[in-house]
Amino acid sequence: MNPIDYSDALVYIVDDEDALRGAISSLLRSVGMQVAGYASVAEFLAQPRRETPSCLLLDVRLQGVNGLDFQAELNREGVALPIIFMTGHGDIPMSVRAMKAGAVDFLAKPFRDQDLLDAIHAALAADRERRLRDQALNGLNERYATLTPREREIMALAARGLMNKQIAGEVGTSEITVKIHRGNAMRKMEAKTFADLVRMAEALGLA
């Protein structure tokens, strides 16, 4: 595996075992990762999260809250934070529930350092990719907002596979006007080809 720079990434640890939390923090810092440790979910929630590639190491059994229930709460709130569960009491139903709800991994204590690092690498890579996708989609939405209503309409119809002549009949204008609007849409969306415009429309949910 090629070495990856995770110096800009942050690993959150929520575990009420001080010794384990400290040991994991030392391990992650030794490989160049930034770490923030908390003894409870309440402590974690009390601190603002940084806008950087991140993941959460979460103990399943914590005082005051169940880790699986907290995962469900984050999912309901739309918090896209990759979770790696740690447990000394794990069983198959718990791990199945965690993985079905989107957990990256489910590690039974004691676990090997390399198993933990592999899971964290996968979680951080997934979060980095998600953030890049979100940035790209935000850029698409910003460019789409510059289109006129007619340009948006024609972009959507073209993405559905309609020819210029069909679009003209659909919107009640000339084929030449359709070509002009479609060209304007491609320029504003920074689409180099019509295929690019179709992919953008699909990403925006228009097609």
Side-chain angles (χ1 to χ4, degrees):
M1 181 180 297
N2 294 329
I4 302 175
D5 180 15
Y6 286 111
S7 59
D8 65 331
L10 178 60
V11 179
Y12 299 104
I13 306 172
V14 179
D15 194 301
D16 52 16
E17 295 183 41
D18 293 343
L20 179 63
R21 200 169 64 249
I24 293 175
S25 297
S26 297
L27 170 66
L28 300 186
R29 289 191 178 103
S30 75
V31 295
M33 295 183 187
Q34 300 180 57
V35 183
Y38 307 94
S40 68
V41 165
E43 286 185 14
F44 170 71
L45 292 175
Q47 299 298 319
R49 288 188 295 277
R50 281 172 36 190
E51 286 300 321
T52 190
S54 310
C55 69
L56 172 62
L57 300 183
L58 180 62
D59 191 18
V60 168
R61 299 180 189 271
L62 294 164
Q63 293 182 358
V65 66
N66 178 288
L68 295 175
D69 291 339
F70 182 53
Q71 178 193 30
E73 180 182 340
L74 292 177
N75 285 342
R76 284 193 300 270
E77 295 180 359
V79 178
L81 184 63
I83 297 176
I84 299 164
F85 278 104
M86 306 176 293
T87 180
H89 314 277
D91 57 19
I92 292 177
M94 288 175 64
S95 62
V96 169
R97 176 182 165 188
M99 300 302 283
K100 281 187 174 180
V104 174
D105 213 332
F106 194 96
L107 303 176
K109 303 173 185 176
F111 39 76
R112 297 188 313 128
D113 289 353
Q114 192 58 53
D115 290 339
L116 176 62
L117 291 174
D118 288 346
I120 290 173
H121 286 161
L124 292 176
D127 196 49
R128 190 186 300 276
E129 291 175 6
R130 177 193 63 80
R131 289 173 181 276
L132 290 174
R133 289 195 303 270
D134 287 349
Q135 289 175 7
L137 184 57
N138 288 339
L140 279 181
N141 279 312
E142 289 174 1
R143 296 196 295 276
Y144 184 66
T146 68
L147 271 59
T148 66
R150 180 50 59 90
E151 288 165 355
R152 294 180 188 180
E153 182 181 23
I154 288 175
M155 176 179 171
L157 291 170
R160 281 168 41 195
L162 273 67
M163 305 297 290
N164 288 339
K165 185 175 181 179
Q166 294 171 307
I167 296 173
E170 185 85 15
V171 302
T173 189
S174 69
E175 189 173 348
I176 293 177
T177 301
V178 169
K179 289 181 180 178
I180 292 172
H181 285 308
R182 194 175 86 166
N184 288 339
M186 289 184 62
R187 176 177 54 79
K188 291 179 180 180
M189 294 299 296
E190 299 177 11
K192 295 181 179 179
T193 66
F194 179 64
D196 288 340
L197 190 69
V198 171
R199 283 191 290 269
M200 291 175 182
E202 291 173 346
L204 291 167
L206 306 177

